[in-house]
Amino acid sequence: MSQPTIESILQENRLFHPSAEFSQKAQIKSLDEYHRLYEQAKADPQAFWAHLAETELDWFQKWDTVLDWQPPFAKWFVNGKLNISYNCLDRHLTTWRRNKAALIWEGEPGDSRTLTYAQLHREVCQFANALKHLGVQKGDRVGIYMPMIPEAAIAMLACARIGAAHTVVFGGFSAEALRDRLVDGQARVVVTADGGWRKDAIVPLKEQVDKALADGSVPSVTNTLVVKRTGQETHMLGDRDHWWHDLQKQVSADCPAEPMDSEDLLFILYTSGSTGKPKGVVHTTGGYNLYTHITTKWIFDLQDTDVYWCTADVGWITGHSYIVYGPLSNGATTVMYEGAPRTSNPGCFWDVIEKHGVNVFYTAPTAIRAFIKMGDEHPKARNLSSLRLLGTVGEPINPEAWIWYQQVIGGGRCPIVDTWWQTETGGIMITALPGAIPTKPGSATLPFPGVLADIIDLEGKAVGANEGGYLAIRHPWPGMMRTVYGDPDRFRRTYWEHVPPKEGQYLYFAGDGARRDEDGYFWVMGRVDDVINVAGHRLGTMEIESALVSHPAVAEAAVVGKPDELKGQDIVAFVTLEGTYSPSDDLLKELKQHVVKEIGAIARPGEIRFADALPKTRSGKIMRRLLRDLASGVEISGDTSTLEDRSVLEKLRQG
Ligand code: WT7
C-alpha cells in the first residue's frame, strides 16, 4: 500500500466494464455516445457549450457571444445574466423538488439536520439579508471560515445571491493564514462559528478570527457574523461581532437573487503554487455554473432519487463544486458530514452511508487508505448496498486501494470514477463517465467532452503513447479560472508561459506529469513543480520554508516531499540553524509547532532534519532533487556535478 510506482502502474492492465444494467439507466450510456459527444465538442466547442448553457441553466438574459478568448484571458457567455443561487435554489421551488431534501447534514457529535429546497432557500435568503444588514454590497468580498455545518453552504449561496464574492478559508488553517487571505481579498465581513469539531477536538474558530483581525491588521473587515455551533464561551466585540441567530430574527426571508453578469466574480479560493504566497484563484459566475452543473450530472450520473455524498470540506474546491454548486444546481440531495476518518471512529463513513442510504459516494485515496488500515470488519459490519457509484479525487490512487474500494465498499458492482482536476480548473477534467467508459485501476481514463487534454513536452508537442510528459489543456473551457486575484501577470506566467505560446496557440500547463497509454487513457503521476500533496492537501514547499525561516532559530530551510503509505506524501524539512542555536528535541518540536501556527496543522512537517549546510549549486540554488532522494531514503540519482561542495551531501547522508 503506497503511492503507485511507475512499475506497478505499467503492469496495470485490468479493464472493468460497467454492468449493462448501470449503462442502460446512465446519463451517458455507451462509449459510442461518449465519443460522439467528445468529437462534437472538439469540432465546435462554442456550439457544444452554448447548447448546454441553454438547456441546463436558467438565464435572466441570454449571452451574445459564447466565448471571447484573448489568451490567456477568457470570457464565457458574454453579457449573459444569471445567478447561481437562483439556479441552485429558486428554479427547483416551482417543481416537485420543492420539498425534496437538498442538504442532509450529519454532525460530528451525532446530531443531524435535513433541509428541503424550500427550507434551504429560506435560510439563504435570510442569511443574504443579514449580510446586507452588515453593509455587504454587490462586488464586495466575504471571508468564510467555518466548520462543516449547513451554514457554511448557506453563507456561500447567500453571497452568490447578492453578488458578493466569497473566499472560503479551510477551518484547519491558522489565524496567520486566514489573515493573509483576508488581506489579499480585502474581505468586508467574515462569517465564522464559535467553534467546530475536528477529529474529536473542538477548534475555536472565532478565537482564530479574533487573532487574525487583531490590532486592525485587516482594515477592510468591518464586521463578523458568528454561527453558534459548539456553544463554548465566545468573546463578542462591541459593534464588530454579531450572532447569526440574533440577526436571523431581525431580517426578512425575502431576498430576490441579484442578476449577475456571466463574468462577475463568484469566488476567490486560495491555493498553493511553487513560488510565493498562495494565489487567489478567481472563478466567475456563468461558466463555473455550467461546468460544475454538467460535470456533476454526467460524472456522478445523478438520478432523481439519489442521495449523493462528497466527503470533502467546503474549504477546498471539491467542496465548492461537488458538495454545494454542482449538486444543488442539479436539484440533487447532497450530504454534508462534519466528521473525518479517524481511528477513534473507524466506521464513521460507513455509518453515514447506511443511515442515509447514500447511492453515490465521492472521497479521496488518502481516506480509502486510512480505512483499509483500520480493517475490513468496519465496512463489512454495515449495510452498504445502497451504493451504486464511487468516485475518488485529489491524488493518484494506487491500484491496490482502487481494488479494495471496488470490492469491499462497492461490493464489486459499482463503477469507480477517478477524477483528475484542480482548484484552477473549477471542475473535473479527466474522468470516466461511469456508464460509458471502462475503467483501469489507477487511471483517470479519458477527458470530459470539451476538454482538449494532451501530454506534451516543453515545446508543446504531443508526446507518443506511453511516453511521459506534462499534462496540458489545448482549448479554454467554461469552468477555467479567469485570473489570479489582483495579479493577472502571475496568472499568465504560472499557467500559460511554461510552454512558449506559438502562433497564438496558448496551452494551459497543469503542473502535473502524466502519460497516455495505447488506449488513450491518462495516468497522472503527480506534480512536476515544488508543490506537494499531503493527504490530498496541496502545499507549496516554499510556504513551509518561509514559515520555518520566520522562526529566530532557523537560518535556512529546504522542504521536500517523501512517499508516505497513508498520506501519499509527507513533509520533510532540512534546516540549518542560526549560530547561537543547537539541535535538540525541544527545538524540533518547537519548529513543528511554529509551522502549525503559521499555516495550520495540515502543514506540520512529518520530519525535520538539522543540517550544517544544504546542498547548493555554485550559483547558490538549493538542490532539492538531492534532498528528495535523501528524504525518501533512495540512492541519489542524476547529475551531482553542479554541486558546490560535495562534502555537504556526504554529511547529510550520514545523518
Ligand atoms: C492537484 C490539484 C480538485 C481536486 C482536489 C485537489 C492532484 C487531483 C487527481 C487524480 C491524480 C490528482 C494533481 C493536481 N490530483 N486529482 N484523480 N489523480 N492526481 O485540488 O488542491 O487544486 O490539487 O491534485 O496533482 O494538480 P487541488
Side-chain angles (χ1 to χ4, degrees):
M1 231 198 331
S2 62
Q3 277 285 94
T5 59
I6 296 182
E7 291 70 31
S8 75
I9 282 177
L10 284 173
Q11 287 160 7
E12 185 54 65
N13 53 14
R14 285 168 284 190
L15 196 61
F16 293 88
H17 292 271
S19 69
E21 196 202 345
F22 190 99
S23 292
Q24 268 156 24
K25 294 187 195 141
Q27 299 279 351
I28 310 297
K29 297 178 179 12
S30 67
L31 197 53
D32 277 353
E33 190 180 350
Y34 162 75
H35 283 308
R36 259 199 314 279
L37 284 167
Y38 194 84
E39 290 310 318
Q40 208 184 332
K42 190 173 166 186
D44 191 348
Q46 300 201 19
F48 176 78
W49 291 117
H51 171 72
L52 289 172
E54 197 145 3
T55 50
E56 298 288 334
L57 299 186
D58 284 22
W59 296 81
F60 300 140
Q61 180 187 305
K62 205 183 153 174
W63 60 91
D64 41 51
T65 310
V66 180
L67 170 65
D68 173 7
W69 178 224
Q70 314 278 342
F73 301 101
K75 291 184 179 146
W76 283 90
F77 309 111
V78 181
N79 291 325
K81 303 275 183 271
L82 76 168
N83 185 296
I84 196 169
S85 109
Y86 183 94
N87 277 319
C88 287
L89 301 167
D90 306 52
R91 65 167 168 165
H92 305 310
L93 301 186
T94 51
T95 72
W96 67 272
R97 292 195 167 91
R98 179 181 175 79
N99 296 318
K100 174 178 176 174
L103 191 74
I104 296 177
W105 172 74
E106 190 64 31
E108 171 69 13
D111 44 347
S112 62
R113 217 179 139 192
T114 299
L115 288 154
T116 64
Y117 273 93
Q119 290 167 330
L120 183 61
H121 172 262
R122 186 184 161 82
E123 291 239 349
V124 168
C125 288
Q126 286 180 315
F127 211 100
N129 281 331
L131 290 172
K132 279 190 191 167
H133 177 86
L134 297 178
V136 177
Q137 292 173 359
K138 185 172 177 173
D140 285 344
R141 271 84 50 219
V142 172
I144 299 179
Y145 185 64
M146 289 280 266
M148 280 289 285
I149 57 177
E151 286 79 3
I154 290 167
M156 291 164 74
L157 291 159
C159 288
R161 193 162 188 88
I162 62 175
H166 52 74
T167 170
V168 183
V169 179
F170 172 58
F173 276 123
S174 69
E176 320 282 329
L178 172 64
R179 178 193 297 143
D180 285 349
R181 286 157 176 77
L182 294 174
V183 166
D184 189 81
Q186 295 154 287
R188 176 148 185 175
V189 161
V190 181
V191 177
T192 189
D194 49 357
W197 270 274
R198 192 166 293 283
K199 299 199 181 182
D200 307 311
I202 284 183
V203 187
L205 292 166
K206 172 62 168 55
E207 209 179 292
Q208 301 287 348
V209 171
D210 290 342
K211 276 191 205 153
L213 302 182
D215 312 318
S217 51
V218 195
S220 59
V221 173
T222 51
N223 291 106
T224 74
L225 186 51
V226 187
V227 178
K228 191 174 217 140
R229 168 67 187 128
T230 52
Q232 71 208 76
E233 175 121 44
T234 299
H235 176 69
M236 300 291 277
L237 197 71
D239 296 336
R240 192 192 68 181
D241 300 337
H242 302 264
W243 287 110
W244 156 236
H245 57 259
D246 286 340
L247 284 190
Q248 191 174 22
K249 285 181 218 132
Q250 297 168 33
V251 293
S252 96
D254 180 31
C255 179
E258 186 72 27
M260 301 301 289
D261 191 90
S262 297
E263 283 301 332
D264 275 337
L265 179 57
L266 176 63
F267 65 84
I268 307 169
L269 187 61
Y270 288 82
T271 193
S272 298
S274 2
T275 55
K277 293 210 163 193
K279 35 186 187 271
V281 170
V282 165
H283 284 290
T284 58
T285 306
Y288 178 84
N289 193 165
L290 177 62
Y291 198 71
T292 52
H293 175 96
I294 200 65
T295 47
T296 306
K297 181 170 176 173
W298 289 354
I299 298 162
F300 299 114
D301 190 49
L302 290 181
Q303 313 284 335
D304 274 339
T305 56
D306 275 343
V307 174
Y308 160 91
W309 180 23
C310 163
T311 67
D313 190 287
V314 290
W316 311 114
I317 191 71
T318 309
H320 284 56
S321 300
Y322 299 111
I323 295 177
V324 181
Y325 291 118
L328 295 176
S329 181
N330 280 282
T333 298
T334 184
V335 175
M336 195 172 176
Y337 176 50
E338 195 182 19
R342 58 203 190 284
T343 39
S344 61
N345 189 356
C348 62
F349 274 19
W350 324 125
D351 282 337
V352 175
I353 291 174
E354 182 176 86
K355 177 170 173 191
H356 297 292
V358 171
N359 306 105
V360 181
F361 179 61
Y362 188 34
T363 194
T366 192
I368 296 168
R369 290 192 296 262
F371 281 116
I372 293 176
K373 206 166 174 190
M374 290 179 222
D376 291 9
E377 63 273 24
H378 305 293
K380 285 195 169 140
R382 274 80 176 178
N383 180 355
L384 304 180
S385 63
S386 59
L387 290 172
R388 61 178 199 86
L389 173 59
L390 304 173
T392 79
V393 61
E395 52 180 320
I397 181 165
N398 44 314
E400 299 86 333
W402 195 101
I403 295 290
W404 182 88
Y405 195 31
Q406 195 221 31
Q407 291 301 319
V408 180
I409 305 308
R413 71 184 177 276
C414 306
I416 295 182
V417 291
D418 174 353
T419 61
W420 176 87
W421 59 297
Q422 309 175 298
T423 306
E424 292 88 338
T425 67
I428 296 166
M429 301 289 277
I430 303 178
T431 178
L433 298 180
I437 300 177
T439 52
K440 303 182 188 183
S443 168
T445 76
L446 299 171
F448 194 78
V451 173
L452 303 189
D454 208 347
I455 315 276
I456 57 163
D457 61 20
L458 283 178
E459 248 109 69
K461 278 207 303 284
V463 303
N466 285 319
E467 277 177 48
Y470 302 95
L471 186 49
I473 315 292
R474 292 192 179 273
H475 190 276
W477 64 101
M480 67 195 278
M481 78 183 281
R482 298 302 194 262
T483 188
V484 171
Y485 190 70
D487 199 348
D489 229 46
R490 190 167 174 201
F491 174 60
R492 184 194 295 276
R493 270 183 287 129
T494 312
Y495 303 103
W496 304 92
E497 290 182 346
H498 270 272
V499 178
K502 274 191 224 91
E503 292 146 31
Q505 281 292 307
Y506 274 72
L507 284 179
Y508 172 82
F509 189 85
D512 278 319
R515 156 182 88 84
R516 196 156 39 171
D517 69 16
E518 54 288 347
D519 299 325
Y521 277 41
F522 285 76
W523 299 80
V524 180
M525 313 304 298
R527 303 290 306 193
V528 293
D529 51 11
D530 291 321
V531 167
I532 47 184
N533 190 328
V534 184
H537 299 315
R538 175 169 159 186
L539 293 158
T541 50
M542 199 204 239
E543 275 168 77
I544 307 169
E545 289 164 9
S546 309
L548 282 165
V549 295
S550 73
H551 189 282
V554 177
E556 272 191 311
V559 166
V560 296
K562 75 160 184 194
D564 181 272
E565 276 218 340
L566 279 181
K567 298 189 249 183
Q569 281 187 297
D570 199 2
I571 302 165
V572 181
F574 293 85
V575 298
T576 63
L577 297 177
E578 291 288 355
T580 51
Y581 292 86
S582 46
S584 72
D585 280 350
D586 283 346
L587 183 57
L588 201 94
K589 275 194 208 120
E590 193 178 317
L591 292 181
K592 286 187 182 178
Q593 201 43 43
H594 184 69
V595 175
V596 173
K597 180 180 153 279
E598 291 291 310
I599 304 175
I602 56 171
R604 184 199 307 271
E607 201 183 313
I608 293 184
R609 297 198 195 172
F610 294 114
D612 293 338
L614 299 175
K616 290 183 186 167
T617 62
R618 274 180 271 278
S619 57
K621 265 189 87 179
I622 295 174
M623 294 183 74
R624 280 205 183 64
R625 177 167 63 77
L626 305 183
L627 294 175
R628 264 196 295 272
D629 287 347
L630 271 175
S632 316
V634 300
E635 264 313 296
I636 302 231
S637 58
D639 188 18
T640 53
S641 61
T642 52
L643 202 57
E644 195 209 359
D645 177 357
R646 302 188 61 87
S647 70
V648 169
L649 196 58
E650 260 331 296
K651 274 199 189 142
L652 279 169
R653 243 195 215 130
Q654 287 153 15

